[in-house]
Amino acid sequence: MTALPPPGGRKLGLVIDLDTCVGCHACAVNCKEWNTGGHAAPLPDHDPYGAGATGVWFNRVHTFEAGEGAAARTVHFPRSCLHCETPDCVRVCPTGASYKRAEDGIVLVNEDLCIGCKLCSWACPYGAREYDHDAGVMKKCTLCIDRIYNENLEEIDRVPACVATCPASARHFGDLGDPDSAVSRLVAARGGVALMPELGYAPVNRYLPPRPRRDTPGCTGAPAALPEAASGGGRFLRWIDAMLSR
Amino acid sequence: MHPAYSVIFFTTASGAGYGLLAMLGTFAAFGLVPPDPWFGAVAFALALGAIAFGLVSSTFHLGHPERAWRAYSQWRTSWLSREGVAATLTFVPAGLFAFGWMFVGENGGIWGALGLVVAAAAAATVYCTAMIYAALKTIRAWNHGIVTRLYLALAVLTGSLWYNALAWLFGHVSPFAPLVVIIALSYGFWLKRRYWMYIDGTHAASTVATATGLAGLGPVRLLDAPNTQENFVQEEMGYRIARAHATKLRRYAFFLLFAIPAALVLIGMEASLWLGLPCAVLAALSASFGVVIERWLFFAEAKHVVTLYYGADAA
């Protein structure tokens, strides 16, 4: 059903820290690795080592430069489905294949109903949906629905693959509908932002902007510089100094 | 946006078909055309054939055409679904109306009223088609009130030109058909000019700064793409047309869709059969090519906000 569920309740999503992301693409790779065997498997992966590599990825890492001159900085920017609260990708679907779950807000595609018209990908401003030419259906991030509720996994592993693998802990998963959850508090503390809020799709995922740049070092208690080399010293050192200065 | 030929042929062929149906319905209702069975047979075959051809060609770009029937289910939210429902429902009054015209020999009275129903259903279908595009907030060039009016005007323009050519062929020439052509043509041209001025003169409210949330750091520009080869999103949404080509194609669309048909229809109004018929047929053919170019540009010139993530300065 492409009608949206009533608002409220849980809003599972990701919080991505652009301050700590190092742009290693591990999240994208582990996403592909998990999902090519998961809910939306398999993901096309043609000519993966050749010059014309193509395939479906749910998560892609862009790299931007922000600011000018000496103040400019590199910002790595992982981009995936934001599981919007009012997504048009769901409402435009003519068959009901695209849907938003009432219980946790995850946006999914029922591949058995999808006719592959691609209209949902046109409706998404975030480029989150990629068409699978092999299967003739649309695919997208599932928020690793087959991990986060998977009781065969240790509880600590019940997070999306991208979150589990991030070596910089730049990705956080949780309920953004609960103001007291760890992710909500993180967003509040760091001033997390929504992407393209002006379009009105109310994305759930939040991005934490890079922290202010520090141009002066903090105080560690150590002297700022080594003391000047002392003059004087013993007769032997003076002799060495004289020899070397000759 | 990538201009897919199946969608271009669908929207132009079915647009002309619905325009012709609406002409037949309204002209019959106002007693402007007799129920000539041969005229009816050819006109309905052309109109319904173009619509059916358009609908079938629109399924060519689907990943699973055999599941297309499922698209009838989500008419409460989806304009694509509504279009499928409207297109199918239109066949009911259109079939009855055609039956009355060809086999009962009637197209006035109650049959004429049915003709008005056909015209309304045809207009509703074209409106739904246009809303598929006009409802997309991600594409500034489409998300505008001009788009639906333009689709309706061009459907009436191409449909009335086809009607005019058939009317010459079967000897049912009426001054009202060229009148409809000239009105639709003037309105369509005025809309298209405003449309081009609109898409040339504005940008989307979204920028790479709002797309990344990095506005606080200063100007934002793409340093590295996420992939070495073009991905689906870039192929589908990242189509770019050179400004020089767009200018040239706009000129072709202007001449083929507006200028040439206007001249030919005006020449044909006071002409004999030997001049009037070729003028009317050429006008219809010219506009049919012109509307394909116009529709190709409608896609090719439309920029999607997702391109902001792939290095576009504005969308």
Side-chain angles (χ1 to χ4, degrees):
Chain A
M1 180 51 63
T2 53
L4 297 174
R10 295 205 306 157
K11 295 193 281 188
L12 295 186
L14 300 173
V15 174
I16 296 166
D17 191 341
L18 298 180
D19 192 70
T20 45
C21 176
V22 296
C24 69
H25 293 241
C27 54
V29 174
N30 201 34
C31 167
K32 177 96 174 180
E33 159 78 27
W34 176 266
N35 284 294
T36 203
H39 180 85
L43 301 185
D45 194 30
H46 295 295
D47 194 16
Y49 307 108
T54 57
V56 170
W57 295 68
F58 295 162
N59 184 13
R60 294 185 184 262
V61 184
H62 302 240
T63 299
F64 291 94
E65 189 177 40
E68 278 179 305
R73 52 201 291 177
T74 303
V75 181
H76 302 291
F77 186 89
R79 182 189 48 77
S80 56
C81 175
L82 309 171
H83 298 279
C84 299
E85 288 183 70
T86 51
D88 262 357
C89 59
V90 169
R91 281 186 292 219
V92 300
C93 176
T95 69
S98 247
Y99 65 105
K100 183 170 176 69
R101 285 160 47 115
E103 62 268 39
D104 51 19
I106 297 178
V107 177
L108 291 174
V109 176
N110 180 342
E111 288 180 28
D112 295 332
L113 298 183
C114 179
I115 57 175
C117 73
K118 311 182 192 83
L119 187 56
C120 56
S121 68
W122 293 10
C124 175
Y126 308 109
R129 289 170 172 253
E130 297 199 8
Y131 183 69
D132 179 343
H133 287 280
D134 299 343
V137 296
M138 193 57 72
K139 299 207 164 163
K140 69 174 293 299
C141 161
T142 68
L143 208 60
C144 281
I145 198 153
D146 38 17
R147 285 181 67 96
I148 59 177
Y149 296 114
N150 192 337
E151 296 188 354
N152 295 314
L153 297 180
E154 294 290 335
E155 199 165 346
I156 194 173
D157 291 327
R158 291 180 207 160
V159 293
C162 57
V163 175
T165 203
C166 179
S169 290
R171 305 180 69 99
H172 308 267
F173 164 72
D175 180 7
L176 286 145
D178 171 7
D180 294 324
S181 67
V183 283
S184 293
R185 276 183 277 130
L186 186 60
V187 169
R190 294 277 308 281
V193 296
L195 306 183
M196 290 198 260
E198 65 278 5
L199 288 174
Y201 296 134
V204 167
N205 286 10
R206 287 290 182 270
Y207 283 76
L208 306 181
R211 291 183 174 88
R213 187 192 184 91
R214 276 197 322 200
D215 291 323
T216 48
C219 179
T220 61
L226 289 175
E228 279 295 310
S231 56
R235 206 188 318 172
F236 175 66
L237 286 179
R238 279 207 300 280
W239 175 76
I240 288 197
D241 184 42
M243 295 303 285
L244 291 174
S245 307
R246 217 186 301 177
Chain B
M1 298 294 293
H2 174 73
Y5 287 108
S6 63
V7 179
I8 290 166
F9 286 125
F10 160 62
T11 59
T12 53
S14 73
Y18 285 118
L20 179 53
L21 264 191
M23 285 293 287
L24 292 166
T26 41
F27 272 46
F30 290 106
L32 297 174
V33 59
D36 171 355
W38 287 108
F39 175 66
V42 174
F44 284 112
L46 187 61
L48 297 175
I51 293 166
F53 165 76
L55 287 173
V56 170
S57 91
S58 77
T59 64
F60 290 163
H61 82 288
L62 297 181
H64 281 280
E66 79 285 2
R67 298 179 186 164
W69 59 273
R70 291 189 184 277
Y72 291 125
S73 67
Q74 304 303 311
W75 50 271
R76 279 179 293 179
T77 59
S78 167
W79 283 104
L80 178 51
S81 184
R82 285 171 196 163
E83 185 213 35
V85 172
T88 310
L89 287 182
T90 304
F91 279 105
V92 179
L96 276 173
F97 179 59
F99 176 82
W101 184 311
M102 289 187 288
F103 300 108
V104 185
E106 291 279 351
N107 68 0
I110 186 84
W111 296 101
L114 192 61
L116 291 180
V117 173
V118 172
T125 309
V126 173
Y127 181 80
C128 288
T129 304
M131 278 306 288
I132 295 172
Y133 307 107
L136 294 174
K137 286 193 276 181
T138 47
I139 301 160
R140 176 187 52 90
W142 296 353
N143 188 223
H144 195 285
I146 294 179
V147 169
T148 45
R149 284 180 275 156
L150 196 57
Y151 267 70
L152 286 165
L154 295 185
V156 172
L157 172 59
T158 46
S160 59
L161 281 165
W162 285 13
Y163 179 93
N164 191 45
L166 291 174
W168 272 98
L169 199 60
F170 287 89
H172 299 303
V173 181
S174 126
F176 291 101
L179 186 67
V180 174
V181 168
I182 294 302
I183 292 171
L185 197 148
S186 312
Y187 185 51
F189 173 62
W190 180 70
L191 286 175
K192 198 67 215 185
R193 261 184 60 90
R194 277 188 53 203
Y195 175 80
W196 278 330
M197 279 160 63
Y198 161 66
I199 66 167
D200 289 346
T202 57
H203 290 306
S206 299
T207 61
V208 66
T210 68
T212 56
L214 294 172
L217 298 180
V220 183
R221 58 209 163 270
L222 184 71
L223 207 56
D224 253 338
N227 29 262
T228 51
Q229 266 75 39
E230 285 216 328
N231 63 32
F232 163 76
V233 168
Q234 288 165 290
E235 284 167 5
E236 186 81 359
M237 263 68 82
Y239 189 90
R240 274 180 299 179
I241 174 171
R243 205 169 178 82
H245 291 177
T247 310
K248 201 178 281 180
L249 286 168
R250 284 184 186 186
R251 205 175 308 137
Y252 294 158
F254 164 72
F255 280 112
L256 289 170
L257 184 55
F258 300 117
I260 294 174
L264 288 173
V265 164
L266 288 175
I267 292 169
M269 276 177 89
E270 291 299 324
S272 64
L273 178 69
W274 300 113
L275 183 60
L277 177 62
C279 275
V281 171
L282 282 177
L285 286 176
S286 170
S288 303
F289 281 113
V291 78
V292 169
I293 297 175
E294 185 275 341
R295 206 51 50 85
W296 190 89
L297 276 174
F298 178 75
F299 284 90
E301 290 193 298
K303 292 184 191 130
H304 195 289
V305 289
V306 76
T307 55
L308 295 170
Y309 289 113
Y310 290 95
D313 298 327

